[in-house]
Amino acid sequence: GDMQKVHKNAAMKWAQFWGAHQRFFRQMLLSAKVPALARLTLETVYEKNMAVVIGLQSTGEANISQAVAEMAASGEEVDDFVSAPAVIIRNLILKQFPTTSTQSQVRLYSKPKP
């Protein structure tokens, strides 16, 4: 009963953590490639007079848009630039370490021990 809920909750938290971990490092690797890509692009355009097409597989735009909307709704100041990796970490912290408890969490963890 209650122990199964606790284990299921723990498993879900770990799944959320590792999912965020993978998204974070995917965005960091993408960010690390930008300077070399920019240099290669400029060389190709100016030295070889060729056009360059760049395709991004994952920009994190959906997460950024959602985070900006949530920040604005809560009265937080939103800068011009919002980092996708920072949004991933922010969301992970908000989900993994909530500052409020749901009623089911209160009931589950406040049951008296036999």
Side-chain angles (χ1 to χ4, degrees), residues 26-77:
R26 181 176 55 229
Q27 291 297 323
M28 291 299 290
L29 289 171
L30 179 65
S31 299
K33 294 176 182 181
V34 171
L37 178 63
R39 187 177 57 255
L40 182 61
T41 300
L42 291 172
E43 288 172 7
T44 303
V45 168
Y46 292 114
E47 294 176 12
K48 298 180 181 175
N49 200 29
M50 297 176 73
V52 177
V53 176
I54 300 170
L56 299 175
Q57 300 300 318
S58 175
T59 62
E61 184 178 0
N63 285 338
I64 290 172
S65 297
Q66 179 185 3
V68 168
E70 289 172 359
M71 290 164 67
S74 68
E76 288 183 58
E77 187 175 328

Side-chain angles (χ1 to χ4, degrees), residues 88-108:
I88 292 168
I89 295 297
R90 178 183 180 275
N91 288 342
L92 176 68
I93 291 170
L94 291 174
K95 288 179 183 173
Q96 295 289 331
F97 305 102
T99 55
T100 58
S101 297
T102 64
Q103 288 299 321
S104 62
Q105 288 172 323
V106 170
R107 283 193 306 271
L108 181 63

